[in-house]
Amino acid sequence: MNKFRFIIYAPLFLILTEESYAANILGIFPAASYSHQQPMLAVTHALAKKGHNLTVITPNPSKVPVKNHRDVDISFLYEKYAEAQKDKDFTMQEKLSTFKFFSNLPAIFHFLSTNILNSSPVKQLIKEIKENNIKYDLIIYEVVPHSALLGGFSEITGNPPVVGVLTMNENSNTDIIFGNPLFPSYVPCVLQHSTDKMSFFERFNSLLYMIYYEYILKVYNADFQERLMKEHFGNFQRTADEKNYNISLLIVSSDLAFSYPKPNNPNVVQVGPLHIKKQLEPLPQDIKKWMDEAENGVIYFSLGSNMKGTSFPEEKRSAFIKAFSKFPKVRVLWKWEADTKLPGQPDNVFVKKWLPQQSILAHPNIVLFISQAGLQSLQEAVHYVVPVLAVPIYGDQEYNARKLLDTGAGLELDFYNITYESVYDKLEKFLTSTSYKENMKRVSAISKDRPMPPVDTAIWWVEYVLRHNGAPHLRPASLSLKWYQLYMVDLFLFIAAVILLLLLIIRFIFKKIFSIFSILKHKEHKQKTN
């Protein structure tokens, strides 16, 4: 009878136990980028499915309501961001140098932070939290330099633990925030076109980029974020910048298939691609028919969610069109964000304003993906084992393209040297060699070889932080040290001072000894002369 009761009540006990751990979680995802939003929303949707209650500030609210997942809609940012690019000396429609990209970051962060905090949905949320004294058990935060958002919401919600999410590989700033060792000698800047085996000049650049990025953030962004936090949330004991250094854990949506080995503390966890879908949406009938009938394969051409095909310079676009026409039996799918026909469009090219990328890459007839090498696009190509021709334009795309080239799973096309000849040469290599596909299989196997799926791993770590009240035991002591203590500058100076003192004492002693000998010798000489 007792066994029978256990069988009846055990499932009920498990359900009640699961519900008792349901947490109230606030998500802050300020980047106006579809590719950045997908990994983070995959985590919050999965948490909601497990019974946790989520309130998420995002520019990509769900089209269909998700149970336990309340979206605070800031989708207006996309339009605002497009307007801002026209007003400022910055655009995502042309290739940018690393220094140019760094230099524009403060203006971007200022613009986005200001517009988010001045928006009605966010103002309403702040008011609601303050009036109802709402507390959260955890904040999930996209780790970007919008520290006014993190600092302000942390303070008014009871300073809950924070889990950071990074949708690119770690950079020097995140290494500093989480106490990771800094080794620019073999850990290239994430905006740098280098491997982990750098020349003298590349190591010099790596160090320079690291210093310049910190300078930009500290001089041009930190004070602004602090003023913004005080304006919208009031005065608090902790500064906006200090809150960044108290994030409990960083979840990185990457792995060693897309980065190089580097030292990470226990509070930094690489989980792999978070946005890969378990169930793919069916292809539209016209696209499916086009791909199914492609006996010699399909090339997919898309430069991501930020760079528009319509913005691609005409002479470079013409180079691709001419090259594609030379392979008439190979079909091409081209993401073309316009209602007009692609100028000079060959018969083997099919264009559309929007294309379901993962479903396309999963199709068995795909032979090549021409991409800007954004991390999420590259991860999808690796997952579905599709070789990549990378055309990096800005941000971390140079780094991603170099890593791809290093693995032998793809080739790179320099944006400034796109000509018919260079495009044709690369296409011919892909279409006549099987090595890129074989290398991509190897890279894909590395990325997929893990104990748990990436989203499940991320959920486990989020709940780990909840279970252990912020998991302070993961925090390295290095974060409590001054820079001169961390790198033992004070210790080396002390040792140098001691050695110098000893040398001075020895010098003094020898000087005294020589002085005494000199006096004695002088007396002896004087006695002899007398």
Side-chain angles (χ1 to χ4, degrees):
M1 186 66 180
N2 287 336
K3 288 183 180 179
F4 179 74
R5 285 179 179 174
F6 175 78
I7 292 170
I8 293 294
Y9 290 115
L12 179 61
F13 171 76
L14 289 173
I15 291 170
L16 291 173
T17 304
E18 182 73 19
E19 287 182 352
S20 67
Y21 281 96
N24 290 320
I25 300 172
L26 175 65
I28 306 174
F29 306 151
S33 172
Y34 178 82
S35 57
H36 279 235
Q37 291 293 318
Q38 298 318 297
M40 297 178 293
L41 291 173
V43 173
T44 56
H45 286 166
L47 284 166
K49 192 174 181 180
K50 285 201 71 176
H52 298 289
N53 299 306
L54 281 295
T55 299
V56 179
I57 302 170
T58 173
N60 287 82
S62 302
K63 294 178 181 178
V64 179
V66 177
K67 185 182 178 183
N68 302 327
H69 197 286
R70 172 193 171 191
D71 294 328
V72 178
D73 184 357
I74 55 170
S75 56
F76 69 90
L77 275 184
Y78 285 107
E79 187 177 341
K80 285 281 187 183
Y81 194 32
E83 291 175 6
Q85 290 182 51
K86 294 177 182 177
D87 298 335
K88 303 179 187 298
D89 184 24
F90 174 77
T91 178
M92 301 185 87
Q93 307 305 312
E94 65 181 38
K95 188 172 176 66
L96 298 174
S97 70
T98 300
F99 279 107
K100 176 75 170 176
F101 191 81
F102 274 144
S103 299
N104 281 293
L105 286 178
I108 299 169
F109 298 143
H110 293 185
F111 173 82
L112 291 176
S113 299
T114 302
N115 276 275
I116 290 169
L117 286 170
N118 282 326
S119 68
S120 297
V122 173
K123 279 187 172 182
Q124 180 60 38
L125 179 62
I126 294 171
K127 182 181 177 183
E128 180 184 316
I129 291 171
K130 286 183 174 181
E131 288 181 350
N132 298 293
N133 195 28
I134 297 173
K135 303 300 178 188
Y136 286 94
D137 302 302
L138 183 80
I139 291 177
I140 299 179
Y141 171 65
E142 180 185 12
V143 181
V144 288
H146 297 288
S147 50
L149 287 164
L150 176 62
F153 276 108
S154 292
E155 292 285 353
I156 66 172
T157 57
N159 284 304
V162 179
V163 170
V165 180
L166 192 63
T167 59
M168 57 192 292
N169 288 297
E170 302 108 290
N171 54 58
S172 58
N173 182 247
T174 52
D175 282 337
I176 290 170
I177 290 173
F178 292 91
N180 285 337
L182 294 172
F183 289 108
S185 55
Y186 74 95
V187 180
C189 168
V190 77
L191 303 184
Q192 185 177 357
H193 190 265
S194 299
T195 70
D196 55 349
K197 298 173 182 64
M198 292 182 271
S199 65
F200 175 85
F201 183 70
E202 287 174 325
R203 284 185 286 118
F204 177 76
N205 273 347
S206 181
L207 177 62
L208 204 61
Y209 290 150
M210 183 183 75
I211 294 170
Y212 187 60
Y213 189 35
E214 282 305 300
Y215 167 77
I216 287 287
L217 293 179
K218 296 297 182 187
V219 174
Y220 294 103
N221 192 56
D223 288 344
F224 176 83
Q225 294 291 330
E226 184 65 22
R227 292 195 302 272
L228 203 59
M229 188 178 87
K230 288 178 180 178
E231 178 186 343
H232 291 274
F233 297 97
N235 290 314
F236 299 104
Q237 291 181 344
R238 280 184 177 175
T239 66
D241 196 46
E242 284 173 343
K243 194 61 189 177
N244 267 338
Y245 287 84
N246 283 279
I247 300 176
S248 298
L249 178 81
L250 177 65
I251 293 172
V252 184
S253 182
S254 186
D255 56 41
L256 288 175
F258 311 97
S259 63
Y260 297 100
K262 62 182 289 293
N264 279 335
N265 283 320
N267 59 343
V268 177
V269 183
Q270 285 192 338
V271 300
L274 288 165
H275 72 296
I276 302 297
K277 296 177 181 178
K278 292 181 180 179
Q279 292 184 328
L280 294 173
E281 55 191 300
L283 285 168
Q285 196 57 40
D286 55 347
I287 296 176
K288 186 177 186 304
K289 186 175 186 296
W290 176 266
M291 297 185 73
D292 288 345
E293 295 174 355
E295 296 179 3
N296 291 279
V298 177
I299 295 172
Y300 174 49
F301 185 10
S302 171
L303 298 177
S305 57
N306 291 315
M307 176 69 178
K308 307 298 182 186
T310 48
S311 301
F312 209 50
E314 185 180 349
E315 70 279 5
K316 301 183 190 305
R317 191 169 67 233
S318 297
F320 276 100
I321 290 171
K322 185 178 179 182
F324 289 147
S325 69
K326 298 300 180 181
F327 299 92
K329 293 183 179 180
V330 179
R331 294 188 171 184
V332 180
L333 275 175
W334 187 319
K335 187 165 78 73
W336 174 252
E337 300 86 352
D339 295 317
T340 58
K341 190 177 180 180
L342 177 68
Q345 182 176 329
D347 292 337
N348 65 327
V349 175
F350 184 100
V351 301
K352 210 158 189 179
K353 291 175 72 172
W354 176 85
L355 293 165
Q357 185 159 292
Q358 290 196 46
S359 299
I360 288 171
L361 292 174
H363 195 283
N365 287 344
I366 279 286
V367 294
L368 176 64
F369 179 20
I370 301 176
S371 166
Q372 87 289 12
L375 182 58
Q376 283 70 45
S377 288
L378 192 58
Q379 288 174 332
E380 291 167 13
V382 168
H383 185 82
Y384 297 110
V385 197
V386 181
V388 176
L389 174 57
V391 188
I393 300 168
Y394 51 77
D396 63 335
Q397 295 165 12
E398 294 267 17
Y399 174 95
N400 299 335
R402 190 64 187 85
K403 173 64 179 179
L404 173 75
L405 195 64
D406 203 31
T407 63
L411 293 172
E412 181 182 353
L413 188 59
D414 180 26
F415 184 85
Y416 292 121
N417 294 310
I418 294 176
T419 62
Y420 157 70
E421 290 78 14
S422 63
V423 176
Y424 180 87
D425 176 63
K426 295 290 192 297
L427 292 180
E428 188 177 40
K429 286 179 179 177
F430 279 110
L431 296 173
T432 58
S433 173
T434 60
S435 65
Y436 304 104
K437 182 78 171 182
E438 292 305 312
N439 285 327
M440 187 57 89
K441 286 179 182 177
R442 175 176 52 81
V443 176
S444 185
I446 292 170
S447 181
K448 292 174 182 175
D449 193 358
R450 59 184 73 255
M452 284 192 294
V455 171
D456 294 343
T457 307
I459 298 306
W460 189 88
W461 278 106
V462 168
E463 293 183 331
Y464 181 91
V465 172
L466 280 167
R467 287 194 298 272
H468 298 285
N469 300 314
H473 54 280
L474 297 178
R475 181 182 174 85
S478 59
L479 288 170
S480 302
L481 298 176
K482 302 290 186 184
W483 68 269
Y484 55 83
Q485 295 173 318
L486 176 61
Y487 296 105
M488 296 194 291
V489 175
D490 54 346
L491 180 59
F492 290 135
L493 288 175
F494 174 75
I495 293 171
V498 169
I499 292 172
L500 180 62
L501 181 62
L502 287 173
L503 290 173
L504 289 173
I505 291 172
I506 291 170
R507 180 176 179 274
F508 176 78
I509 291 170
F510 273 96
K511 193 175 180 181
K512 282 294 182 183
I513 292 171
F514 283 124
S515 178
I516 292 169
F517 273 111
S518 179
I519 292 170
L520 291 173
K521 191 174 181 181
H522 179 70
K523 284 183 177 180
E524 183 181 351
H525 177 73
K526 192 175 181 180
Q527 287 174 354
K528 284 182 180 181
T529 54
N530 290 334

